[in-house]
Amino acid sequence: MTLKRHRGLTEQAADAAVDQACRMLRLPTIRPQFPELAEATARDQMSFRGFLAELLMAECDDRARRRSERRIKAAQFPREISLRAFDFDANPNIDAAVIHTLATCEWVKKGLPLCLIGDSGTGKSHLLIVLGTEAAIAGFRVRCTLATELVNELVDELVDAADEKILTKTIARYRRVDLLCIDELGYMELDRRGAELLFQVLTERGEKNCVAIASNESFGGWTKTFTDPRLCAAIVDRLTFGGNIIETGTDSYRLARTRAARAQSAASG
């Protein structure tokens, strides 16, 4: 399909031609914004080059936004959380400067691991999602999962598969993402096969694709999850070598907020 070109189009005909051209060229942002920007150009006496630059930058910005949204959706985060929503004052163990540095995603680019260690309610899962989201916005492919869900998926496919091709494809899928976020590592004991499969995922990601984990257990307590001491040591080594370790502490700010709310309610009652 080609568009007929006519000189001296009326404004209405020109708008219709631009609309049709945007549909053909798949420019969904320029199409609705063109009339308003055209009026602003005439009003502000903008040059044709400036007008064209405004249109193209609007399209590029919107495409970048949509790509970020697709990456965030593909990551399968359990909920949407922003870095701005994190209350650093509620947990003095967490250094805001360190977290904002991590939010630049340089560690993801370098393939370095990240470990968030602390008790329930101290903000480690929140930070895991926040930093994973920042990586997705920055253009990295991210996948977020619970440790038990990841291991169960691997074990189930190993049991159900007639051969190991399906399992190999699953491990390859986790290997391809730039950042793998694993939450709740250490909440339950894994049998030897499950621990080996998890280690295989971590190993095949190599040193270029990074892993971020959140755990309620210190590294010394990981033998409760990985009962084989040698395998446990290998996993700890894989997840800590050259990486960042953030300790969120033991005091639950969620529990503190609940108690404060109850005390306030009781006082007002």
mmCIF file of all heavy atoms in Angstrom, residues 66-113:
data_model
loop_
_atom_site.group_PDB
_atom_site.id
_atom_site.type_symbol
_atom_site.label_atom_id
_atom_site.label_comp_id
_atom_site.label_asym_id
_atom_site.label_seq_id
_atom_site.Cartn_x
_atom_site.Cartn_y
_atom_site.Cartn_z
ATOM 1 N N ARG A 66 7.580 1.207 27.075
ATOM 2 C CA ARG A 66 6.849 -0.038 26.842
ATOM 3 C C ARG A 66 7.763 -1.251 26.948
ATOM 4 O O ARG A 66 7.356 -2.305 27.457
ATOM 5 C CB ARG A 66 6.158 -0.003 25.479
ATOM 6 C CG ARG A 66 5.038 1.019 25.374
ATOM 7 C CD ARG A 66 4.126 0.725 24.183
ATOM 8 N NE ARG A 66 4.851 0.707 22.933
ATOM 9 C CZ ARG A 66 5.070 1.762 22.157
ATOM 10 N NH1 ARG A 66 4.637 2.956 22.531
ATOM 11 N NH2 ARG A 66 5.727 1.652 21.012
ATOM 12 N N ARG A 67 9.000 -1.114 26.481
ATOM 13 C CA ARG A 67 9.957 -2.222 26.616
ATOM 14 C C ARG A 67 10.242 -2.516 28.086
ATOM 15 O O ARG A 67 10.328 -3.683 28.496
ATOM 16 C CB ARG A 67 11.260 -1.908 25.877
ATOM 17 C CG ARG A 67 11.172 -2.034 24.367
ATOM 18 C CD ARG A 67 12.551 -2.065 23.736
ATOM 19 N NE ARG A 67 13.271 -0.816 23.952
ATOM 20 C CZ ARG A 67 13.256 0.210 23.125
ATOM 21 N NH1 ARG A 67 12.529 0.156 22.022
ATOM 22 N NH2 ARG A 67 13.971 1.292 23.385
ATOM 23 N N SER A 68 10.385 -1.459 28.878
ATOM 24 C CA SER A 68 10.613 -1.645 30.322
ATOM 25 C C SER A 68 9.433 -2.361 30.962
ATOM 26 O O SER A 68 9.618 -3.263 31.785
ATOM 27 C CB SER A 68 10.839 -0.290 30.998
ATOM 28 O OG SER A 68 12.056 0.287 30.586
ATOM 29 N N GLU A 69 8.236 -1.955 30.589
ATOM 30 C CA GLU A 69 7.035 -2.585 31.133
ATOM 31 C C GLU A 69 6.978 -4.063 30.763
ATOM 32 O O GLU A 69 6.596 -4.906 31.586
ATOM 33 C CB GLU A 69 5.784 -1.868 30.635
ATOM 34 C CG GLU A 69 5.616 -0.471 31.220
ATOM 35 C CD GLU A 69 4.428 0.262 30.639
ATOM 36 O OE1 GLU A 69 3.855 -0.227 29.634
ATOM 37 O OE2 GLU A 69 4.065 1.335 31.173
ATOM 38 N N ARG A 70 7.372 -4.395 29.529
ATOM 39 C CA ARG A 70 7.371 -5.799 29.114
ATOM 40 C C ARG A 70 8.411 -6.600 29.892
ATOM 41 O O ARG A 70 8.151 -7.745 30.298
ATOM 42 C CB ARG A 70 7.633 -5.913 27.614
ATOM 43 C CG ARG A 70 6.461 -5.477 26.743
ATOM 44 C CD ARG A 70 6.650 -5.935 25.314
ATOM 45 N NE ARG A 70 7.775 -5.290 24.664
ATOM 46 C CZ ARG A 70 7.705 -4.158 23.978
ATOM 47 N NH1 ARG A 70 6.543 -3.528 23.864
ATOM 48 N NH2 ARG A 70 8.781 -3.646 23.394
ATOM 49 N N ARG A 71 9.594 -6.012 30.120
ATOM 50 C CA ARG A 71 10.624 -6.723 30.880
ATOM 51 C C ARG A 71 10.204 -6.925 32.334
ATOM 52 O O ARG A 71 10.456 -7.986 32.913
ATOM 53 C CB ARG A 71 11.952 -5.960 30.804
ATOM 54 C CG ARG A 71 12.646 -6.058 29.462
ATOM 55 C CD ARG A 71 14.074 -5.519 29.552
ATOM 56 N NE ARG A 71 14.089 -4.102 29.859
ATOM 57 C CZ ARG A 71 14.105 -3.136 28.954
ATOM 58 N NH1 ARG A 71 14.093 -3.434 27.674
ATOM 59 N NH2 ARG A 71 14.133 -1.864 29.319
ATOM 60 N N ILE A 72 9.556 -5.923 32.909
ATOM 61 C CA ILE A 72 9.086 -6.050 34.295
ATOM 62 C C ILE A 72 8.021 -7.139 34.390
ATOM 63 O O ILE A 72 8.019 -7.950 35.320
ATOM 64 C CB ILE A 72 8.543 -4.698 34.800
ATOM 65 C CG1 ILE A 72 9.691 -3.706 34.974
ATOM 66 C CG2 ILE A 72 7.806 -4.871 36.120
ATOM 67 C CD1 ILE A 72 9.241 -2.287 35.287
ATOM 68 N N LYS A 73 7.126 -7.182 33.422
ATOM 69 C CA LYS A 73 6.089 -8.217 33.413
ATOM 70 C C LYS A 73 6.692 -9.600 33.230
ATOM 71 O O LYS A 73 6.301 -10.561 33.896
ATOM 72 C CB LYS A 73 5.081 -7.932 32.301
ATOM 73 C CG LYS A 73 3.916 -8.904 32.263
ATOM 74 C CD LYS A 73 2.913 -8.523 31.188
ATOM 75 C CE LYS A 73 1.736 -9.504 31.176
ATOM 76 N NZ LYS A 73 0.748 -9.140 30.112
ATOM 77 N N ALA A 74 7.678 -9.710 32.346
ATOM 78 C CA ALA A 74 8.325 -11.002 32.088
ATOM 79 C C ALA A 74 9.103 -11.497 33.305
ATOM 80 O O ALA A 74 9.296 -12.703 33.475
ATOM 81 C CB ALA A 74 9.260 -10.883 30.889
ATOM 82 N N ALA A 75 9.549 -10.573 34.162
ATOM 83 C CA ALA A 75 10.315 -10.959 35.352
ATOM 84 C C ALA A 75 9.460 -11.689 36.374
ATOM 85 O O ALA A 75 9.981 -12.414 37.223
ATOM 86 C CB ALA A 75 10.939 -9.719 35.995
ATOM 87 N N GLN A 76 8.144 -11.487 36.316
ATOM 88 C CA GLN A 76 7.200 -12.154 37.224
ATOM 89 C C GLN A 76 7.458 -11.809 38.684
ATOM 90 O O GLN A 76 7.487 -12.692 39.551
ATOM 91 C CB GLN A 76 7.232 -13.671 37.004
ATOM 92 C CG GLN A 76 6.831 -14.091 35.600
ATOM 93 C CD GLN A 76 6.800 -15.593 35.408
ATOM 94 O OE1 GLN A 76 6.565 -16.350 36.349
ATOM 95 N NE2 GLN A 76 7.036 -16.039 34.192
ATOM 96 N N PHE A 77 7.645 -10.529 38.942
ATOM 97 C CA PHE A 77 7.747 -10.091 40.331
ATOM 98 C C PHE A 77 6.413 -10.321 41.033
ATOM 99 O O PHE A 77 5.358 -10.142 40.431
ATOM 100 C CB PHE A 77 8.107 -8.601 40.407
ATOM 101 C CG PHE A 77 9.459 -8.271 39.851
ATOM 102 C CD1 PHE A 77 9.580 -7.511 38.697
ATOM 103 C CD2 PHE A 77 10.611 -8.722 40.470
ATOM 104 C CE1 PHE A 77 10.820 -7.208 38.176
ATOM 105 C CE2 PHE A 77 11.860 -8.419 39.958
ATOM 106 C CZ PHE A 77 11.962 -7.662 38.807
ATOM 107 N N PRO A 78 6.430 -10.704 42.322
ATOM 108 C CA PRO A 78 5.174 -10.971 43.029
ATOM 109 C C PRO A 78 4.326 -9.722 43.245
ATOM 110 O O PRO A 78 3.119 -9.807 43.431
ATOM 111 C CB PRO A 78 5.642 -11.560 44.364
ATOM 112 C CG PRO A 78 7.034 -11.044 44.546
ATOM 113 C CD PRO A 78 7.608 -10.968 43.164
ATOM 114 N N ARG A 79 4.933 -8.560 43.216
ATOM 115 C CA ARG A 79 4.208 -7.295 43.387
ATOM 116 C C ARG A 79 5.072 -6.153 42.865
ATOM 117 O O ARG A 79 6.286 -6.312 42.698
ATOM 118 C CB ARG A 79 3.858 -7.056 44.864
ATOM 119 C CG ARG A 79 5.044 -7.091 45.805
ATOM 120 C CD ARG A 79 4.614 -7.153 47.253
ATOM 121 N NE ARG A 79 5.736 -7.211 48.172
ATOM 122 C CZ ARG A 79 6.401 -8.322 48.470
ATOM 123 N NH1 ARG A 79 6.039 -9.469 47.909
ATOM 124 N NH2 ARG A 79 7.407 -8.310 49.337
ATOM 125 N N GLU A 80 4.419 -5.030 42.605
ATOM 126 C CA GLU A 80 5.142 -3.854 42.120
ATOM 127 C C GLU A 80 5.596 -3.004 43.316
ATOM 128 O O GLU A 80 4.782 -2.605 44.133
ATOM 129 C CB GLU A 80 4.258 -3.026 41.191
ATOM 130 C CG GLU A 80 3.928 -3.721 39.878
ATOM 131 C CD GLU A 80 3.126 -2.830 38.956
ATOM 132 O OE1 GLU A 80 2.984 -1.623 39.268
ATOM 133 O OE2 GLU A 80 2.634 -3.328 37.932
ATOM 134 N N ILE A 81 6.886 -2.756 43.384
ATOM 135 C CA ILE A 81 7.460 -1.943 44.463
ATOM 136 C C ILE A 81 8.518 -1.036 43.852
ATOM 137 O O ILE A 81 9.316 -1.474 43.020
ATOM 138 C CB ILE A 81 8.111 -2.809 45.562
ATOM 139 C CG1 ILE A 81 7.132 -3.858 46.089
ATOM 140 C CG2 ILE A 81 8.608 -1.948 46.700
ATOM 141 C CD1 ILE A 81 7.754 -4.811 47.077
ATOM 142 N N SER A 82 8.515 0.210 44.270
ATOM 143 C CA SER A 82 9.516 1.148 43.766
ATOM 144 C C SER A 82 10.544 1.456 44.848
ATOM 145 O O SER A 82 10.285 1.296 46.047
ATOM 146 C CB SER A 82 8.852 2.448 43.311
ATOM 147 O OG SER A 82 8.320 3.145 44.424
ATOM 148 N N LEU A 83 11.703 1.893 44.414
ATOM 149 C CA LEU A 83 12.756 2.267 45.360
ATOM 150 C C LEU A 83 12.323 3.456 46.211
ATOM 151 O O LEU A 83 12.666 3.552 47.385
ATOM 152 C CB LEU A 83 14.041 2.602 44.594
ATOM 153 C CG LEU A 83 15.267 2.993 45.420
ATOM 154 C CD1 LEU A 83 15.620 1.890 46.407
ATOM 155 C CD2 LEU A 83 16.448 3.283 44.497
ATOM 156 N N ARG A 84 11.543 4.353 45.605
ATOM 157 C CA ARG A 84 11.069 5.527 46.352
ATOM 158 C C ARG A 84 10.177 5.133 47.518
ATOM 159 O O ARG A 84 10.077 5.873 48.505
ATOM 160 C CB ARG A 84 10.278 6.452 45.414
ATOM 161 C CG ARG A 84 11.121 7.111 44.339
ATOM 162 C CD ARG A 84 10.317 8.158 43.588
ATOM 163 N NE ARG A 84 9.128 7.576 42.999
ATOM 164 C CZ ARG A 84 9.095 7.010 41.793
ATOM 165 N NH1 ARG A 84 10.205 6.945 41.078
ATOM 166 N NH2 ARG A 84 7.976 6.518 41.314
ATOM 167 N N ALA A 85 9.527 3.975 47.433
ATOM 168 C CA ALA A 85 8.601 3.556 48.484
ATOM 169 C C ALA A 85 9.303 2.908 49.668
ATOM 170 O O ALA A 85 8.683 2.666 50.706
ATOM 171 C CB ALA A 85 7.567 2.581 47.906
ATOM 172 N N PHE A 86 10.589 2.636 49.534
ATOM 173 C CA PHE A 86 11.303 1.967 50.623
ATOM 174 C C PHE A 86 11.631 2.963 51.728
ATOM 175 O O PHE A 86 12.186 4.032 51.482
ATOM 176 C CB PHE A 86 12.584 1.308 50.111
ATOM 177 C CG PHE A 86 13.229 0.399 51.123
ATOM 178 C CD1 PHE A 86 12.785 -0.891 51.277
ATOM 179 C CD2 PHE A 86 14.264 0.851 51.927
ATOM 180 C CE1 PHE A 86 13.366 -1.736 52.210
ATOM 181 C CE2 PHE A 86 14.854 0.027 52.867
ATOM 182 C CZ PHE A 86 14.393 -1.275 53.008
ATOM 183 N N ASP A 87 11.305 2.583 52.950
ATOM 184 C CA ASP A 87 11.524 3.445 54.110
ATOM 185 C C ASP A 87 12.859 3.082 54.765
ATOM 186 O O ASP A 87 12.940 2.178 55.586
ATOM 187 C CB ASP A 87 10.371 3.283 55.101
ATOM 188 C CG ASP A 87 10.469 4.260 56.279
ATOM 189 O OD1 ASP A 87 11.411 5.083 56.283
ATOM 190 O OD2 ASP A 87 9.607 4.192 57.177
ATOM 191 N N PHE A 88 13.902 3.805 54.414
ATOM 192 C CA PHE A 88 15.226 3.522 54.976
ATOM 193 C C PHE A 88 15.289 3.875 56.463
ATOM 194 O O PHE A 88 16.076 3.280 57.206
ATOM 195 C CB PHE A 88 16.303 4.297 54.210
ATOM 196 C CG PHE A 88 16.556 3.773 52.826
ATOM 197 C CD1 PHE A 88 15.972 4.370 51.726
ATOM 198 C CD2 PHE A 88 17.370 2.673 52.628
ATOM 199 C CE1 PHE A 88 16.201 3.887 50.442
ATOM 200 C CE2 PHE A 88 17.610 2.171 51.359
ATOM 201 C CZ PHE A 88 17.026 2.782 50.263
ATOM 202 N N ASP A 89 14.470 4.814 56.889
ATOM 203 C CA ASP A 89 14.471 5.200 58.299
ATOM 204 C C ASP A 89 13.957 4.068 59.195
ATOM 205 O O ASP A 89 14.287 4.014 60.384
ATOM 206 C CB ASP A 89 13.602 6.436 58.506
ATOM 207 C CG ASP A 89 14.189 7.681 57.845
ATOM 208 O OD1 ASP A 89 15.425 7.724 57.685
ATOM 209 O OD2 ASP A 89 13.412 8.583 57.477
ATOM 210 N N ALA A 90 13.155 3.174 58.619
ATOM 211 C CA ALA A 90 12.579 2.088 59.413
ATOM 212 C C ALA A 90 13.602 1.011 59.742
ATOM 213 O O ALA A 90 13.407 0.235 60.681
ATOM 214 C CB ALA A 90 11.383 1.466 58.674
ATOM 215 N N ASN A 91 14.699 0.948 58.987
ATOM 216 C CA ASN A 91 15.719 -0.064 59.249
ATOM 217 C C ASN A 91 17.103 0.565 59.104
ATOM 218 O O ASN A 91 17.635 0.669 57.992
ATOM 219 C CB ASN A 91 15.568 -1.243 58.279
ATOM 220 C CG ASN A 91 16.465 -2.410 58.668
ATOM 221 O OD1 ASN A 91 17.408 -2.263 59.448
ATOM 222 N ND2 ASN A 91 16.189 -3.586 58.132
ATOM 223 N N PRO A 92 17.705 0.971 60.197
ATOM 224 C CA PRO A 92 19.024 1.619 60.146
ATOM 225 C C PRO A 92 20.142 0.689 59.682
ATOM 226 O O PRO A 92 21.250 1.160 59.394
ATOM 227 C CB PRO A 92 19.249 2.078 61.593
ATOM 228 C CG PRO A 92 18.386 1.175 62.420
ATOM 229 C CD PRO A 92 17.183 0.874 61.575
ATOM 230 N N ASN A 93 19.887 -0.614 59.627
ATOM 231 C CA ASN A 93 20.912 -1.551 59.160
ATOM 232 C C ASN A 93 21.173 -1.418 57.663
ATOM 233 O O ASN A 93 22.204 -1.880 57.164
ATOM 234 C CB ASN A 93 20.495 -2.994 59.466
ATOM 235 C CG ASN A 93 20.436 -3.278 60.952
ATOM 236 O OD1 ASN A 93 21.435 -3.141 61.654
ATOM 237 N ND2 ASN A 93 19.271 -3.663 61.443
ATOM 238 N N ILE A 94 20.229 -0.825 56.952
ATOM 239 C CA ILE A 94 20.336 -0.727 55.502
ATOM 240 C C ILE A 94 20.844 0.659 55.123
ATOM 241 O O ILE A 94 20.225 1.671 55.454
ATOM 242 C CB ILE A 94 18.978 -1.003 54.830
ATOM 243 C CG1 ILE A 94 18.490 -2.410 55.202
ATOM 244 C CG2 ILE A 94 19.082 -0.860 53.319
ATOM 245 C CD1 ILE A 94 17.085 -2.721 54.712
ATOM 246 N N ASP A 95 21.958 0.680 54.432
ATOM 247 C CA ASP A 95 22.592 1.937 54.024
ATOM 248 C C ASP A 95 21.952 2.404 52.714
ATOM 249 O O ASP A 95 22.084 1.743 51.670
ATOM 250 C CB ASP A 95 24.092 1.709 53.830
ATOM 251 C CG ASP A 95 24.854 3.013 53.607
ATOM 252 O OD1 ASP A 95 24.256 3.972 53.095
ATOM 253 O OD2 ASP A 95 26.055 3.048 53.941
ATOM 254 N N ALA A 96 21.287 3.536 52.756
ATOM 255 C CA ALA A 96 20.596 4.054 51.572
ATOM 256 C C ALA A 96 21.566 4.300 50.425
ATOM 257 O O ALA A 96 21.246 4.058 49.251
ATOM 258 C CB ALA A 96 19.853 5.345 51.923
ATOM 259 N N ALA A 97 22.767 4.791 50.740
ATOM 260 C CA ALA A 97 23.753 5.074 49.699
ATOM 261 C C ALA A 97 24.165 3.800 48.968
ATOM 262 O O ALA A 97 24.330 3.793 47.739
ATOM 263 C CB ALA A 97 24.982 5.758 50.310
ATOM 264 N N VAL A 98 24.315 2.716 49.713
ATOM 265 C CA VAL A 98 24.698 1.432 49.108
ATOM 266 C C VAL A 98 23.590 0.938 48.172
ATOM 267 O O VAL A 98 23.862 0.492 47.049
ATOM 268 C CB VAL A 98 24.986 0.384 50.198
ATOM 269 C CG1 VAL A 98 25.163 -0.999 49.572
ATOM 270 C CG2 VAL A 98 26.223 0.766 50.990
ATOM 271 N N ILE A 99 22.352 1.034 48.629
ATOM 272 C CA ILE A 99 21.230 0.559 47.815
ATOM 273 C C ILE A 99 21.081 1.397 46.547
ATOM 274 O O ILE A 99 20.835 0.859 45.459
ATOM 275 C CB ILE A 99 19.920 0.581 48.633
ATOM 276 C CG1 ILE A 99 20.055 -0.315 49.866
ATOM 277 C CG2 ILE A 99 18.755 0.132 47.771
ATOM 278 C CD1 ILE A 99 20.437 -1.755 49.575
ATOM 279 N N HIS A 100 21.232 2.706 46.680
ATOM 280 C CA HIS A 100 21.129 3.560 45.490
ATOM 281 C C HIS A 100 22.279 3.297 44.520
ATOM 282 O O HIS A 100 22.093 3.406 43.296
ATOM 283 C CB HIS A 100 21.096 5.034 45.895
ATOM 284 C CG HIS A 100 19.761 5.485 46.390
ATOM 285 N ND1 HIS A 100 19.421 5.491 47.734
ATOM 286 C CD2 HIS A 100 18.658 5.914 45.732
ATOM 287 C CE1 HIS A 100 18.176 5.931 47.868
ATOM 288 N NE2 HIS A 100 17.694 6.191 46.675
ATOM 289 N N THR A 101 23.436 2.936 45.033
ATOM 290 C CA THR A 101 24.541 2.547 44.153
ATOM 291 C C THR A 101 24.210 1.253 43.423
ATOM 292 O O THR A 101 24.456 1.125 42.219
ATOM 293 C CB THR A 101 25.841 2.383 44.965
ATOM 294 O OG1 THR A 101 26.191 3.631 45.564
ATOM 295 C CG2 THR A 101 26.978 1.923 44.064
ATOM 296 N N LEU A 102 23.639 0.291 44.149
ATOM 297 C CA LEU A 102 23.230 -0.967 43.518
ATOM 298 C C LEU A 102 22.140 -0.729 42.477
ATOM 299 O O LEU A 102 22.057 -1.455 41.473
ATOM 300 C CB LEU A 102 22.731 -1.955 44.580
ATOM 301 C CG LEU A 102 23.787 -2.517 45.537
ATOM 302 C CD1 LEU A 102 23.117 -3.322 46.649
ATOM 303 C CD2 LEU A 102 24.785 -3.383 44.782
ATOM 304 N N ALA A 103 21.318 0.276 42.697
ATOM 305 C CA ALA A 103 20.225 0.578 41.766
ATOM 306 C C ALA A 103 20.732 1.064 40.415
ATOM 307 O O ALA A 103 19.972 1.090 39.438
ATOM 308 C CB ALA A 103 19.278 1.608 42.381
ATOM 309 N N THR A 104 22.013 1.438 40.331
ATOM 310 C CA THR A 104 22.591 1.815 39.035
ATOM 311 C C THR A 104 22.842 0.592 38.161
ATOM 312 O O THR A 104 23.108 0.727 36.967
ATOM 313 C CB THR A 104 23.913 2.573 39.221
ATOM 314 O OG1 THR A 104 24.881 1.699 39.827
ATOM 315 C CG2 THR A 104 23.717 3.802 40.097
ATOM 316 N N CYS A 105 22.792 -0.604 38.790
ATOM 317 C CA CYS A 105 22.879 -1.902 38.086
ATOM 318 C C CYS A 105 24.264 -2.199 37.507
ATOM 319 O O CYS A 105 24.384 -3.051 36.617
ATOM 320 C CB CYS A 105 21.830 -2.004 36.977
ATOM 321 S SG CYS A 105 20.134 -1.839 37.583
ATOM 322 N N GLU A 106 25.279 -1.546 38.006
ATOM 323 C CA GLU A 106 26.633 -1.848 37.546
ATOM 324 C C GLU A 106 27.016 -3.283 37.905
ATOM 325 O O GLU A 106 27.735 -3.952 37.153
ATOM 326 C CB GLU A 106 27.626 -0.855 38.162
ATOM 327 C CG GLU A 106 29.019 -0.915 37.575
ATOM 328 C CD GLU A 106 29.087 -0.507 36.115
ATOM 329 O OE1 GLU A 106 28.181 0.225 35.662
ATOM 330 O OE2 GLU A 106 30.038 -0.930 35.430
ATOM 331 N N TRP A 107 26.544 -3.755 39.047
ATOM 332 C CA TRP A 107 26.827 -5.123 39.480
ATOM 333 C C TRP A 107 26.178 -6.145 38.546
ATOM 334 O O TRP A 107 26.730 -7.228 38.308
ATOM 335 C CB TRP A 107 26.362 -5.338 40.924
ATOM 336 C CG TRP A 107 24.890 -5.116 41.121
ATOM 337 C CD1 TRP A 107 24.238 -3.917 41.174
ATOM 338 C CD2 TRP A 107 23.879 -6.123 41.281
ATOM 339 N NE1 TRP A 107 22.887 -4.105 41.357
ATOM 340 C CE2 TRP A 107 22.638 -5.441 41.434
ATOM 341 C CE3 TRP A 107 23.895 -7.508 41.319
ATOM 342 C CZ2 TRP A 107 21.436 -6.120 41.611
ATOM 343 C CZ3 TRP A 107 22.698 -8.184 41.505
ATOM 344 C CH2 TRP A 107 21.488 -7.501 41.648
ATOM 345 N N VAL A 108 25.022 -5.794 38.001
ATOM 346 C CA VAL A 108 24.359 -6.690 37.044
ATOM 347 C C VAL A 108 25.172 -6.742 35.757
ATOM 348 O O VAL A 108 25.370 -7.816 35.173
ATOM 349 C CB VAL A 108 22.922 -6.216 36.756
ATOM 350 C CG1 VAL A 108 22.231 -7.169 35.779
ATOM 351 C CG2 VAL A 108 22.121 -6.115 38.049
ATOM 352 N N LYS A 109 25.631 -5.596 35.328
ATOM 353 C CA LYS A 109 26.439 -5.514 34.108
ATOM 354 C C LYS A 109 27.708 -6.347 34.244
ATOM 355 O O LYS A 109 28.149 -6.998 33.289
ATOM 356 C CB LYS A 109 26.784 -4.050 33.829
ATOM 357 C CG LYS A 109 27.566 -3.827 32.548
ATOM 358 C CD LYS A 109 27.827 -2.343 32.349
ATOM 359 C CE LYS A 109 28.614 -2.086 31.067
ATOM 360 N NZ LYS A 109 28.873 -0.630 30.869
ATOM 361 N N LYS A 110 28.297 -6.350 35.442
ATOM 362 C CA LYS A 110 29.538 -7.091 35.675
ATOM 363 C C LYS A 110 29.296 -8.556 36.008
ATOM 364 O O LYS A 110 30.242 -9.340 36.097
ATOM 365 C CB LYS A 110 30.332 -6.437 36.805
ATOM 366 C CG LYS A 110 30.845 -5.050 36.465
ATOM 367 C CD LYS A 110 31.605 -4.454 37.641
ATOM 368 C CE LYS A 110 32.142 -3.070 37.301
ATOM 369 N NZ LYS A 110 32.861 -2.460 38.462
ATOM 370 N N GLY A 111 28.037 -8.943 36.233
ATOM 371 C CA GLY A 111 27.719 -10.323 36.565
ATOM 372 C C GLY A 111 28.052 -10.712 37.991
ATOM 373 O O GLY A 111 28.339 -11.883 38.277
ATOM 374 N N LEU A 112 28.015 -9.747 38.910
ATOM 375 C CA LEU A 112 28.359 -10.020 40.307
ATOM 376 C C LEU A 112 27.126 -10.440 41.092
ATOM 377 O O LEU A 112 26.030 -9.927 40.852
ATOM 378 C CB LEU A 112 28.973 -8.771 40.953
ATOM 379 C CG LEU A 112 30.240 -8.237 40.298
ATOM 380 C CD1 LEU A 112 30.693 -6.963 40.990
ATOM 381 C CD2 LEU A 112 31.345 -9.295 40.343
ATOM 382 N N PRO A 113 27.266 -11.349 42.051
ATOM 383 C CA PRO A 113 26.115 -11.790 42.846
ATOM 384 C C PRO A 113 25.745 -10.788 43.934
ATOM 385 O O PRO A 113 26.545 -9.924 44.305
ATOM 386 C CB PRO A 113 26.603 -13.109 43.462
ATOM 387 C CG PRO A 113 28.093 -12.942 43.561
ATOM 388 C CD PRO A 113 28.493 -12.119 42.370
#
